[in-house]
Amino acid sequence: MLLPLLSKEIKLHLKTFRFSAALIVTFTLIILSVWVLGNDFVARSNLYLKLSESYKQGSESIFVPSQIKPVMHKPPTPLSIFAQGDERRLGNTVIFSRWSVPSEAVDHLTNNKLTADHISYDLMTIFALIISLFSLLLTYDAISGERETGTLKFICSFRLSRASIYSIKFLAGLIVISLPFLISFAGALLVLSFIHGIAFTAEQWIAKVLMVLSGLIYSAVFVAVGLLCSTIARRSSSSLVLALFFWALAVLLIPGAANGIAKYIAPLHPPEEIKHLELTTEAEVKKQLADYRQDATPYAGQGSWMGAWIVDENVAMFDTFSVAQYLQNVEYVRYQENLRQVEADRIWDAQKVRLKSEGDQAALADLISSISPSNQLQTAFTGLSGTSYEEYERFLDACRRYRQTILNDFSKRGYFDKNTHDFFMRMPRELFKTEEQFDARWHNYTPYIDAGIFEQAIKATGYFDKPLDEDFIPPFQYRGGRPDFNAAAWPIGLLFSMTVIAFLLGFTLFIRYDVR
Amino acid sequence: MFTIIKHQIKEGLKDARFIFLALLILLAFLINGLIFSVQYHADVQSWHSAVNENTQLWRPTASNLQSLSNYEQSMAKPPSPVAFIAGGQEDKIPNTVTVNAFRYLNPEVVTRDNKIMPVVYALDWVFIIGSLLTLLAVFLSYDSICGEKRDGTLGLVMSNSISRLEIFFGKFLGLLFVLALTMLVGVLLNLAVLVMSGSWPVSTHSGLRAGILSAAALIDAPFGYDGQQPH
């Protein structure tokens, strides 16, 4: 008796206009969004490869350690096609600097800065907005509509418990709403593999299966709520209004209001404080350097050619007029490097306070909107696709660790202590011992300088033929966003319990339902 | 025709759907007012401190015209006093640029926004009117003809000496009045919260702009990005 009723329910649903509308709309939207975002992903990965390649080429002209400035890119993950999350919104590139700790990434892989902040119509948004609406529309009149046409009395006169009737209606709704989605998702995977040629790893396949699962549980919440609405209201038009009211509240209003309320309750640490600290620290450092130059090294920073100025972070090499001046310059570089690195840590400590206040506010907003199923879906999807804010944090952490590794490596080699010469100078230290040796360096390349051919002059020194070894610094270890299964467990569980609560509530109402 | 309008208004106001959603809309307007009054206060404060900081920093260079023209000032954009109507991209696009007399350097976002917060619809007038009020309009009007036909009252109405045009138009005007009333109450509530909070500049200019924008909302004109200079 159960199975025939279930198949009858499903067949009835399949014949309705609502189902065809849901099928067409879902299919079109999912295929279109996957096609557009797939193109976007391919473009971004190509750009990523190109940038990494150009960085490798650039590293061939690095001759001294002070020139080392690796660029760290966050490679795009193919799962971002299904849930864009924060991957395009927040930055993806960090440039190494000895004089500052990275607190945020800049945007190098996104084409348009202004659209990066918009809500993108990916699978997650289609689920949150469209499929939830169709789930409600499918079941809002399952009980009240049958009561109006009088068939409910007929069904209840069968030798069937009300529990099984209610469960069948729920199951039928869930199966019918999952059909359009499963068909479109299969189509989307075909589009991705045949048009874009994107291959997924095993881990990403598991993440995709879990995404489908969490999406289905999400629609189950709305199917159960639709049934609940249809048992609460006697007339089907009223239950429609009730269902749409719930949708507007849960999907549209709560997430937006939660952000606003969190901003109201927990205001942010003012950004101007950090700006102020940065400006004053910079002024302070400049003053200290000026004082140092006045007292200890009056000639430091003068006499540079074919390299950068000594005041610049990128001290490649510089030439001086005498051994005394050279020694003063070495002292100056050593002093400045140590000073700047301490200041960088100080500014980072202040930035941590600001970042913590942002994190607290976001956590509060997340807590307030956790009653909204769409918020849980967002957490699950972004966690599974590796595009969540946590992943961005992990990337930045990796960048900071990498910076620290390089700096530790440098100080182990004594670049900020006794070997500062090797830090920015390619020529052997012996040349700078006596004035005779010092003057002898010039004979090789003065003719070229007099002729104005600086490249030839640099070559003639004989110290710039071979760049630094590639494995002079360790490679950057971060390998792109990976599915975070732990982050998705809690939201999936919460969505499941929401379904159970809505189902049980509607069920208890239906037990005492007056079928006339 | 006036009887029809009156009847439609009465029916609309008594409707449970209307009461539900109107309360929701009023709540949204209230939350908007509360949030914006706090946020605008903080934004104006931070803008003032940025401007003061900048002034303090360039003033020492002012003794010498050459050093003044070379000095790189950071210019901050003031927050819009009507951003609660249409938030737009105010928080995202650059609001600070560094300039000297010869160059325009890196525009940057000294953000007043929380980057970590997930992107959702901001609770501004655009959202409240564009989504919630529209939903209310559909809820109220979707069964105004077929519902009467089902209840059998449509025949009674038609049997009077009123033309069909008048019936249709009367229903339309009645519903529009109900919607306008909801919005007016909400807008007044919103503005009252802002004025009472004391952080919002009560000037004819901002008042006029709020008035024009709410009038535009009634005829459902789309809102553009609104981020001009205040005063």
Side-chain angles (χ1 to χ4, degrees), chain A residues 110-222:
Chain A
T110 316
N111 302 326
N112 191 339
K113 209 179 171 67
L114 288 182
T115 56
D117 273 321
H118 286 192
I119 291 171
S120 51
Y121 283 88
D122 48 15
L123 189 69
M124 187 187 80
T125 321
I126 293 169
F127 249 115
L129 295 178
I130 315 280
I131 296 186
S132 63
L133 192 61
F134 278 122
S135 309
L136 282 176
L137 289 182
L138 206 68
T139 50
Y140 79 92
D141 63 347
I143 309 285
S144 52
E146 289 224 43
R147 190 194 65 85
E148 275 174 343
T149 52
T151 47
L152 189 64
K153 231 185 295 183
F154 182 63
I155 295 176
C156 284
S157 65
F158 291 161
R159 275 193 298 113
L160 261 179
S161 66
R162 289 204 173 185
S164 38
I165 295 176
Y166 197 78
S167 318
I168 283 169
K169 287 201 174 286
F170 174 75
L171 268 183
L174 190 57
I175 291 170
V176 169
I177 199 62
S178 63
L179 279 180
F181 161 65
L182 289 177
I183 293 170
S184 339
F185 193 69
L189 290 183
L190 288 180
V191 166
L192 282 183
S193 62
F194 285 111
I195 297 183
H196 301 106
I198 296 168
F200 294 97
T201 63
E203 194 182 41
Q204 284 166 342
W205 275 104
I206 298 172
K208 271 196 289 187
V209 170
L210 281 177
M211 266 188 212
V212 171
L213 188 75
S214 56
L216 289 183
I217 296 176
Y218 177 72
S219 19
V221 175
F222 284 86

Side-chain angles (χ1 to χ4, degrees), chain A residues 47-67:
Chain A
L47 199 56
Y48 167 73
L49 290 178
K50 217 168 91 184
L51 286 175
S52 318
E53 198 54 42
S54 75
Y55 170 67
K56 237 175 227 166
Q57 281 170 5
S59 69
E60 281 163 18
S61 59
I62 289 182
F63 298 99
V64 288
S66 70
Q67 278 178 313

Side-chain angles (χ1 to χ4, degrees), chain A residues 27 35 90 97 117 122 156 167 185 222 246 347 363 407-408 442 446 481 483 515:
Chain A
F27 189 79
W35 183 63
L90 303 170
S97 164
D117 273 321
D122 48 15
C156 284
S167 318
F185 193 69
F222 284 86
F246 173 80
I347 290 176
L407 287 185
N408 288 345
W442 287 82
T446 25
V515 294

Side-chain angles (χ1 to χ4, degrees), chain A residues 350-363:
Chain A
Q351 265 162 344
K352 266 195 280 196
V353 176
R354 159 83 184 178
L355 285 175
K356 187 173 177 305
S357 80
E358 283 190 3
D360 289 349
Q361 195 183 61

Side-chain angles (χ1 to χ4, degrees), chain A residues 86 89-91 104-105 113-114 117-119 121 125 129 148 235-238 240-242 244-245 247-249 251-253 255-264 267-268 270-272 275-276 279-280 354-355 357-359 361-363 365-366 375 378 389 392, chain B residues 16-17 20-22 24-25 27-28 31 34-39 42-43 45-47 49-50 53 56-57 71 74 89 91-94 96 98 108-123 127-128 131-132 135 138-139 142-143 147 150-151:
Chain A
D86 287 332
R89 197 165 67 84
L90 303 170
E104 61 176 15
K113 209 179 171 67
L114 288 182
D117 273 321
H118 286 192
I119 291 171
Y121 283 88
T125 321
L129 295 178
E148 275 174 343
R235 274 168 47 187
S236 59
S237 59
S238 316
L240 174 65
V241 171
L242 209 59
L244 287 180
F245 182 75
W247 183 80
L249 198 68
V251 176
L252 295 182
L253 198 62
N259 273 11
I261 292 169
K263 277 180 193 167
Y264 183 79
L268 286 180
E272 281 73 18
K275 182 92 179 154
H276 175 80
L279 287 173
T280 48
R354 159 83 184 178
L355 285 175
S357 80
E358 283 190 3
Q361 195 183 61
D366 196 48
N375 182 56
Q378 188 173 358
Y389 179 77
Y392 172 74
Chain B
R17 300 171 270 189
F20 253 141
L21 257 179
L24 197 69
I25 290 170
L27 188 72
I31 293 176
L34 283 175
I35 291 167
F36 184 77
S37 62
V38 171
Q39 209 181 346
D43 286 357
Q45 292 252 314
S46 67
W47 175 59
S49 73
E53 170 110 43
Q56 275 175 15
L57 285 173
Y71 177 71
S74 77
Q89 297 275 320
D91 291 331
K92 273 95 186 175
I93 53 180
T96 304
T98 313
E108 65 175 311
V109 187
V110 177
T111 184
R112 300 174 185 131
D113 195 33
N114 188 348
K115 262 194 146 183
I116 304 179
M117 213 88 113
V119 184
V120 287
Y121 307 92
L123 201 69
F127 171 76
I128 298 174
S131 300
L132 298 183
L135 206 64
V138 175
F139 278 9
Y142 82 98
D143 66 345
R150 186 189 56 211
D151 298 343

Side-chain angles (χ1 to χ4, degrees), chain A residues 422-487:
Chain A
D422 300 338
F423 181 51
F424 62 89
M425 193 74 95
R426 185 78 177 189
M427 302 175 200
R429 214 183 300 185
E430 288 71 47
L431 290 180
F432 296 85
K433 284 268 163 65
T434 64
E435 296 288 344
E436 287 82 48
Q437 283 171 325
F438 187 76
D439 286 340
R441 296 172 312 135
W442 287 82
H443 296 305
N444 291 336
Y445 49 92
T446 25
Y448 296 107
I449 296 172
D450 291 344
I453 318 168
F454 289 105
E455 286 83 9
Q456 288 289 333
I458 290 170
K459 268 192 192 139
T461 59
Y463 301 115
F464 298 94
D465 300 336
K466 211 167 81 211
L468 279 181
D469 289 342
E470 254 184 42
D471 51 356
F472 187 80
I473 51 167
F476 184 46
Q477 286 298 345
Y478 183 79
R479 286 284 166 270
R482 285 180 60 200
D484 186 357
F485 296 111
N486 291 333

